Amino acid sequence: KNCPLKNITVDENNAVYSSEDGVLFNKDKTSLILYPVDSERESYEIPNSVETVGSNAFYKCTSLRSITIPESVVTIEDSAFSDCTGITEIKIPSSVTSLGYAFAGCPIENIVVDKDNPNYSSVDGVLFSKDKTKLILYPVANSRESYTIPNSVNTIGDSAFDGCSSLQSIDIPNSVTTIGDYAFDVCSSLQSIDIPNSVTTIGD
């Protein structure tokens, strides 16, 4: 994953792997395995045969400014887009039902989830579970200085606000019972936080 690849080519007779436009896939192109880290493309549309975007598939692809995720994608694995420093907005289609910790190190300003997605939703650019009981990910590069968590939320997920350096205050409602590991890690502008009496579990 640290090789400065610009292109990946697979022999057409290979029984397990394939390539298209320099990108590595499994044979039937249902899994995107590796995007060449030093490709100079600024945008990329994942083929609509793909069902799984693999872990570290786009790791450190810093030239990319936009990635289009098609309705065929069901699973986005951990670190799939980690350290893609040009990506500021993510659009999650209705088909995605399994989403790992996929965007670490991305300067995301806005997360948009298709309204028909059965597992996830977004409000004001923030990623939630469908029923909005779990706050999964706050967009790390959003410029807001304060944020009020909706009172439908009972769980603040692991690393949910990790690296949100603009936030100076976060209002946690009495509905919240669980705060996950590293939920507020590296929130370098956060001056104070009030833990309501509803909270019974706080992670690392």
Side-chain angles (χ1 to χ4, degrees):
K1 65 183 181 180
N2 292 315
C3 298
L5 297 173
K6 293 189 175 183
N7 191 64
I8 302 167
T9 303
V10 178
D11 189 293
E12 64 181 14
N13 294 317
N14 189 293
V16 180
Y17 299 103
S18 64
S19 62
E20 183 178 318
D21 296 328
V23 182
L24 178 65
F25 299 87
N26 65 345
K27 186 63 176 180
D28 61 3
K29 296 187 176 70
T30 57
S31 180
L32 191 157
I33 298 169
L34 187 64
Y35 183 92
V37 66
D38 270 13
S39 171
E40 296 177 356
R41 281 185 291 237
E42 293 189 357
S43 64
Y44 180 68
E45 293 188 15
I46 295 172
N48 58 19
S49 60
V50 172
E51 298 172 2
T52 300
V53 180
S55 60
N56 295 299
F58 289 87
Y59 177 66
K60 286 192 174 181
C61 293
T62 56
S63 293
L64 286 171
R65 298 292 177 266
S66 68
I67 297 172
T68 301
I69 303 171
E71 291 285 344
S72 59
V73 172
V74 175
T75 301
I76 299 174
E77 296 183 346
D78 288 343
S79 302
F81 301 103
S82 287
D83 295 332
C84 288
T85 54
I87 301 298
T88 59
E89 181 173 84
I90 293 292
K91 294 182 178 179
I92 299 170
S94 62
S95 55
V96 173
T97 57
S98 179
L99 178 60
Y101 186 58
F103 307 109
C106 298
I108 298 173
E109 298 173 5
N110 193 46
I111 302 167
V112 179
V113 179
D114 188 289
K115 63 181 177 59
D116 294 325
N117 189 294
N119 286 16
Y120 302 100
S121 61
S122 61
V123 179
D124 297 330
V126 183
L127 179 65
F128 296 89
S129 59
K130 184 65 174 182
D131 60 4
K132 298 180 181 65
T133 58
K134 182 176 183 179
L135 192 157
I136 299 170
L137 185 63
Y138 184 92
V140 65
N142 190 285
S143 60
R144 281 185 290 242
E145 294 183 355
S146 64
Y147 179 67
T148 299
I149 295 173
N151 58 18
S152 60
V153 173
N154 59 40
T155 301
I156 299 171
D158 294 348
S159 302
F161 289 88
D162 187 359
C164 295
S165 58
S166 293
L167 285 172
Q168 296 178 18
S169 66
I170 300 171
D171 185 13
I172 303 174
N174 280 319
S175 58
V176 172
T177 60
T178 302
I179 298 174
D181 293 339
Y182 309 108
F184 303 106
D185 197 30
V186 201
C187 288
S188 55
S189 297
L190 194 61
Q191 298 173 12
S192 66
I193 197 156
D194 293 326
I195 309 295
N197 60 14
S198 57
V199 173
T200 58
T201 303
I202 299 177
D204 290 342

